[in-house]
């Protein structure tokens, strides 16, 4: 942070009045995340309110950890005991206060600030501009895509006095948001990347969206834009005076006229300025989007006065930006976090945070290259060492010269290699066993080679799980119920195919209250992988009673017979076991029926060892309107049954009835808890709120071979695929053994290859499937999307007469699951 703050300054900036213990020192750090605190005694914790939690809930723990200053909502009562040990500044709204502090910090930075917005490319332009400028300057930039109301303040707190330029990204999703971002970023130089044509929620027209975004540049001296984008150009010219604009275009008349000569793998970019000065650059890309993004970068670098040779040097090393942090299965049960695109402390912090959220493994290992951040190396690496210390790593492997400075801070845990090559030569893959390994390095170190060495071989097919989308969906359902209503998440059937351990772990960090699995084994496996949430087992069997006890699993009891058996088991072992009672109100699968309640009451009396944690029922048709009357009948019957049981209990179990569809249709019956299933995975089965969920999983494979076939040729077993006029087919590395349903045979299914639909031709084989690509430009090694954002599971299920549940859970466990944050 640029400027340390006293309590008086904080009071002035936020309008709050400090209470509690006096704090004589200065604040040098600001955190909004209780897990991300480096120097607690100098850190201000800002308690933000989110959909699921209030940061203020963490205050007691944080005080224990040494924190002394807190910014809280004024309606939150402060415990006088806590106030004896810490300073509290109550404000109307903590987020606004955080933003006010950010604006102040920004005002302390007198060097240029570049602000970037637009629909697409803003993160890439920010990253690339950062890379090019860092050939000549020390650059601060927003980590990843931290461009929101909270992301921007955090980005600003990352700016240090030694930085010579800051690049900040701004993103908005509805009217009125840019105003706040603009006040914080207040860019000297602006870049408007482009505008997407898609209609976005939150805006009534594209023009309105452009005008909102342009507010970022209200006070900028200069704004760079592409004049070939007609709408953008029109709005910009109407809003800004000509002297403030720097335009580029492929056509004459702009400040920079750009022509691109594409070669094999490179493009020669020629920029002619209006004074006829000409600049020529070689860039390592040939696609249109990259050329557009790089042109923004070059014009910005020239405007900031960077020398031509160093711009060219920076451009040479640009690589496609894959900002995603990816979690992959590694060798010997290790887990790998792949962050092979990182070059500064801010990015390292995000990656370490992701590391700390994973389920526990034997050791935490960091493989880190030199950071390409310019600045005084002593300072940078001392800051890095503080950061690493706060995350408690077991081993650190440095690659490069500068990073070797870490040895002084970690004499026993640090080893150093001069180059990636040297590390690869001496690496012993067997030394990694059941470890969590974060591989994070700057582009030129090509750390993907280390990832390749340490990850499990992935055969052509992968299921990618977007953890941000999962969070989004969880929060969506959370918002449909009262804040105090508990969330149980169904992670049965390998978490609907998504991978139980990783998803359960993510749910644990998101604040789910309960998990449920179908069988005891599934629960045991979650416990062995470090999941601590309470786990309900829907269908336990007598043989697993020992496991239930040993692994702290909570069985569902659904029949008098089973109640008796479990009860006697608990008596014999003299233990208490929490159980859940399934009440059958119409499913007629498992569960106690109304007529069995008397019998059940006797059992409850006879076996006080079985404490009833919850009572629930399950709806049979909540997804469909036509069953409305039946569903309401079920809910009423459930209320009667649970009241009858409650009468004989001297404690109150949790009661719950709603699955995903029920949450949408009957929120008035949320009771104490809801049971979220398919909705978390991105399918809204009632169809009412489909657009508000995000697609979580993408099933992908690759083309193994492409064949040109003559007229009359047939494809696959039983000659079912016919090409009367000949054509071109691709063989995909997925078959019914991977879970690609054989009913997709003969044109029922299709996949996406390079954005185009390719229909299945002939019968799906065990490990392979052939698709018709007569009209598609594709080659061996290209990717094929089986389902994902662009191919909905509902649509695919309809094609073959099944439901998304079956498609999701059919994916074989041999398909590798890869998790990422974007
Ligand atoms: C699977 C299951 C759910 C979740 O159902 P969704 O339709 O996936 O939301 C809830 N309750 C019980 C008892 C279940 O078996």
């Amino acid at each position: 942070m640029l400027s340390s703050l006293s309590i008086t300054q904080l009071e002035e900036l936020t309008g709050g009045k400090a209470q509690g213990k006096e704090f004589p020192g200065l604040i040098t750090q600001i955190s909004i995340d209780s897990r991300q605190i480096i120097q607690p005694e100098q850190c201000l914790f800002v308690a933000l309110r989110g959909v699921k939690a209030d940061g203020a809930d963490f205050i007691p723990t944080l005080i224990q950890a040494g924190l002394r200053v807190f910014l809280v909502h004024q309606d939150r009562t402060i415990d006088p005991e806590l106030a004896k040990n810490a300073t509290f500044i109550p404000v109307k709204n903590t987020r606004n206060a955080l933003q006010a502090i950010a604006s102040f910090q920004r005002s302390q930075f007198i060097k240029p600030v570049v602000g970037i917005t637009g629909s697409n490319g803003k993160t890439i332009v920010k990253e690339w501009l950062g890379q090019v400028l860092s050939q000549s300057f020390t650059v601060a930039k927003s980590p990843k895509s931290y461009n929101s109301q909270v992301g921007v303040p955090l980005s600003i707190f990352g700016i240090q006095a030694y930085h010579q330029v800051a690049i900040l990204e701004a993103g908005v999703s509805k009217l009125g948001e840019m105003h706040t971002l603009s006040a914080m970023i207040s860019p000297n130089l602006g870049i408007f990347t482009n505008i997407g044509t898609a209609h976005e929620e939150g805006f009534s027209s594209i023009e309105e969206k452009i005008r909102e975004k342009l507010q970022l540049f209200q006070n900028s001296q200069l704004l760079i834009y592409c004049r070939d984008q007609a709408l953008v150009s029109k709005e910009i010219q109407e809003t800004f005076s000509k002297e403030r604009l720097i335009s580029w275009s492929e056509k004459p008349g702009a400040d920079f006229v750009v022509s691109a000569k594409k070669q094999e793998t490179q493009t020669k970019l020629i920029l002619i300025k209006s004074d006829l000065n000409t600049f020529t650059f070689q860039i390592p890309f040939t696609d249109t989007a990259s050329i557009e993004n790089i042109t923004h970068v070059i014009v910005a670098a020239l405007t900031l006065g960077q020398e031509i040779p160093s711009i060219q040097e920076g451009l040479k090393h640009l690589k496609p930006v894959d900002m995603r942090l990816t979690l992959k299965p590694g060798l010997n049960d290790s887990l790998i976090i792949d962050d092979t695109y990182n070059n500064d402390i801010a990015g390292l912090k995000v990656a370490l945070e992701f590391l700390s959220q994973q389920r526990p493994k034997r050791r935490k290992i960091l493989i880190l290259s030199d950071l390409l951040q310019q600045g005084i190396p002593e300072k940078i690496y001392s800051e890095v060492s503080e950061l690493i210390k706060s995350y408690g790593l077991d081993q650190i492997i440095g690659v490069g010269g500068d990073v070797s400075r870490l040895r002084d801070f970690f004499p026993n845990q640090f080893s150093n290699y001069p180059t990636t090559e040297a590390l690869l030569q001496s690496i012993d893959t067997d030394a990694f066993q059941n470890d969590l390994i974060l591989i994070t390095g700057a582009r030129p170190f090509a750390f993907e080679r280390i990832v390749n060495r340490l990850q499990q071989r992935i055969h052509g097919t992968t299921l990618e799980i977007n953890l941000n989308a999962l969070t989004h969906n969880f929060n969506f359902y959370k918002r449909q119920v009262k804040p105090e209503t508990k969330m149980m998440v169904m992670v049965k059937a390998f978490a609907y195919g998504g991978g139980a351990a990783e998803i359960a772990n993510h749910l644990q960090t998101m604040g789910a209250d309960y998990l449920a699995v179908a069988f005891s084994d599934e629960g045991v496996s979650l416990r062995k992988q470090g999941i601590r949430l309470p786990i309900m087992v829907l269908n336990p069997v007598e043989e697993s009673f020992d496991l239930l006890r040993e692994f702290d699993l909570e069985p569902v009891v659904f029949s008098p017979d089973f109640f008796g058996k479990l009860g006697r088991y608990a008596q014999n072992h003299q233990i208490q076991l929490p159980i859940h009672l399934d009440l059958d109100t119409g499913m007629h699968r498992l569960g106690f029926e109304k007529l069995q309640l008397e019998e059940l009451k006797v059992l409850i009396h006879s076996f006080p060892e079985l404490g009833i944690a919850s009572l629930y029922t399950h709806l049979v048709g909540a997804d469909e309107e036509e069953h409305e009357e039946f569903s309401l009948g079920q809910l009423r019957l459930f209320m009667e049954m649970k009241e009858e049981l409650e009468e004989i209990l001297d404690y109150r179990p949790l009661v719950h009835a709603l699955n995903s569809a029920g949450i949408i249709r009957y929120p008035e019956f949320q009771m104490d808890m809801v049971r979220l299933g398919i909705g978390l995975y991105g399918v809204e089965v009632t169809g009412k709120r489909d657009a508000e969920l995000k697609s979580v999983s993408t099933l992908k494979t690759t083309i193994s071979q492409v064949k040109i076939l003559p007229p009359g040729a047939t494809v696959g077993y039983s000659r079912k695929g016919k090409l009367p006029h000949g054509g071109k087919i691709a063989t995909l590395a997925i078959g019914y053994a991977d879970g690609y349903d054989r009913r997709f045979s003969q044109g029922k299914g299709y996949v996406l290859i390079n954005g185009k639909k390719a229909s299945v031709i002939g019968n799906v084989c065990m490990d392979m499937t052939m698709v018709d690509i007569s009209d598609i430009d594709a080659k061996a090694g290209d990717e094929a999307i089986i389902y994902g954002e662009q191919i909905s599971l509902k649509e695919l299920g309809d094609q073959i007469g099944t439901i998304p549940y079956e498609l999701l859970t059919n994916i074989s466990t041999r398909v590798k699951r890869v998790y990422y944050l974007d």
Side-chain angles (χ1 to χ4, degrees), residues 490 492 496 538 589 616 618 659-660 675-678 805:
M490 313 309 282
K492 57 192 181 188
Y496 289 51
L538 291 165
R589 184 166 76 171
Y616 76 89
H618 192 32
N659 58 0
S660 310
R675 299 189 307 273
L676 178 60
I678 190 104
Y805 296 82

Side-chain angles (χ1 to χ4, degrees), residues 423-466:
L423 170 63
L424 285 169
Q425 268 169 20
S426 61
I427 206 167
D428 169 15
T429 51
D430 285 337
F432 302 97
Q433 299 271 353
N434 194 24
D435 292 321
L436 193 53
I437 312 166
L438 168 59
I439 302 178
T440 177
R443 279 297 344 158
F445 287 86
F447 268 14
E448 56 276 9
R449 290 189 295 160
I450 306 175
V451 174
N452 273 338
R453 182 72 72 81
L454 294 180
Q455 79 178 350
Q456 257 180 42
R457 295 289 145 257
I458 294 191
H459 97 125
T461 304
T462 52
L463 183 65
E464 290 188 354
I465 310 285
N466 179 342

Side-chain angles (χ1 to χ4, degrees), residues 128 131 284-285 315 317-322 341 443-444 446 448:
W128 281 351
Q131 273 188 42
F285 292 93
L315 291 173
H317 298 293
L318 295 185
K319 290 270 165 54
V321 177
D322 187 355
Y341 184 92
R443 279 297 344 158
E448 56 276 9

Side-chain angles (χ1 to χ4, degrees), residues 335 356-362 434 436 500-509 515 521-535 551-553:
L335 267 180
S356 74
Q357 289 170 2
Q358 300 315 314
R359 55 204 167 79
K361 289 265 174 190
R362 192 171 64 109
N434 194 24
L436 193 53
E502 279 7 293
I503 290 193
N505 180 65
H506 192 67
L507 289 164
Q508 194 164 275
T509 59
L515 297 175
D521 292 352
E522 296 177 325
V524 171
S525 150
L526 288 179
R527 284 282 180 258
K528 286 192 173 155
Q529 307 196 63
I531 304 301
R532 302 177 309 275
L533 286 176
I535 300 176
F551 290 94
D552 202 6
L553 304 173

